Amino acid sequence: MNTEELIKRDIKNIWHPFTQMKDYENEAPLIIDRGKGIYIWDTDGNRYMDAISSWWVNTLGHSHPRLNEAIKRQLDKIEHVLLAGFSHVPAIELAEKLVELTPEKLTKVFYSDNGSTAVEVALKMAYQYCQQMGKPQKNKFVALKNSYHGDTIGAVSVGGVDVYHKIYKPMLFDIFQAESPYCYRCPMGKNKESCDIECMGSVEEIFCKHHGEIAGIIVEPIVQAAGGMIIYPAEYLKRLRKLCDEYKVFLIDDEVAMAFGRTGKLFAFEHAQVVPDLVCLAKGITSGYLPLAVTMATDEIYRAFYDDYEKLKTFFHGHSFTGNPIAASVAVENLKILEEEQVIESLPPKIEALRSNLEKFRELDCVGDIRQAGMVGAIEVVKNKETKEPYRFEERIGHKIYKQALKRGAILRPLGSVIYFMPPYAITEEEIRQVVDIGVDSVKAALY
Ligand SMILES: *Cc1c(COP(=O)(O)O)cnc(C)c1O
């Protein structure tokens, strides 16, 4: 394969996501040929450790024999069929499994095909529920600063990352925005020792004043991922659940990035022992194989839509590839693997290896914060450790570190000045040591 030629053809016709295409004048995209476990290889045969699970989707590792087999089995039966008026075994099995694995209150599974749509569905369900239950004035949402819920307009409306979202403001619906539980840069000026989740006050204030207009609050559980792998205490979710009950506001739990073991539990909400009203799932649901998403709802929500057709309470929402049989069959197999091979139960030593290795960043005076939740580890690079002065985004410090890491054979795609490790669970403790060492060396090479 002629890599030069492939790059030319790529750039000629492909407009890449989250990419300033002009950058490709100097840095060509890597053309990936194959993958196995935590590694991917480019067309020149160079090997890279996929330390970000291919944008957080690939939980078990690339080219997993059981997942490959599941696709092949399903492919010879039916590749796709609509899910309105029709159903199929993989969709039925997956829904059963998800209902079994989640708390009793979550009884219904609505399929779509990506994380953004799972979020759109949850927002529309919460909204329509209020409309149909005689509370039409409850038509707004609360979201947090630094939140990311996807790139479609509804999902962007509840987003809180200015670089991605600000320009679209005139296109978006209005929301109430609460403070982000960003412990390193605490909006309340507290630190770990003095914190009593004071930032919850910002949610409470909004609920107190406006609960009559609020249908739901949407949050990323435990980790505000795209906002910079901002990790917050489970106690926050606990208190949020209480506030939601008190003010009759739906708790929408966007588990798109964190479900299926990423934080060390099957679902991140389990850390807080709370039950959300709506749960959004995507990314790791197929272990990164195929696009599939789910919005789980309670019976209470489902019931508000259940009536004679002419009452017009139907949830008129669906995508062409909703609940695709091949994707659903991979998801079913993924859940079987997690269970049968005790994948999540086997994570603690790896989580501990990540924790102890991340300590190596402590000595670098450009690393302001080290944070971790299960199989997510992150460091925040700063200009001044004392004042926490950040790098300006134009300095692209994360990108410089990323390029250094690529040279050393690891993919550490940054979020601004945050470098994170989010590898497939197939990674070994030794490989965790290797990739963190590459991280340390890359930070040094980029900054010193
Ligand atoms: C990635 C992500 C989404 C969007 O999912 P897509 O499949 O990219 O549309 C939504 N919410 C969270 C928390 C995410 O990390």
Side-chain angles (χ1 to χ4, degrees), residues 56 114-116 119 148-150 220 225 254 256-257 282-283:
W56 324 346
N114 65 75
S116 306
V119 166
Y148 176 88
H149 299 289
E220 295 164 85
D254 179 358
V256 168
K283 291 196 170 112

Side-chain angles (χ1 to χ4, degrees), residues 298-345:
T298 60
D299 226 46
E300 182 199 351
I301 293 173
Y302 177 75
R303 285 277 141 202
F305 293 74
Y306 196 89
D307 211 335
D308 297 326
Y309 185 78
E310 56 275 18
K311 298 272 171 58
L312 279 175
K313 290 186 180 173
T314 304
F315 189 51
F316 285 110
H317 188 114
H319 301 275
S320 310
F321 290 101
T322 285
N324 171 265
I326 303 177
S329 68
V330 182
V332 169
E333 190 67 14
N334 177 39
L335 290 176
K336 278 190 190 154
I337 295 168
L338 288 178
E339 196 170 303
E340 290 167 15
E341 302 184 11
Q342 302 243 301
V343 176
I344 298 170
E345 292 77 358

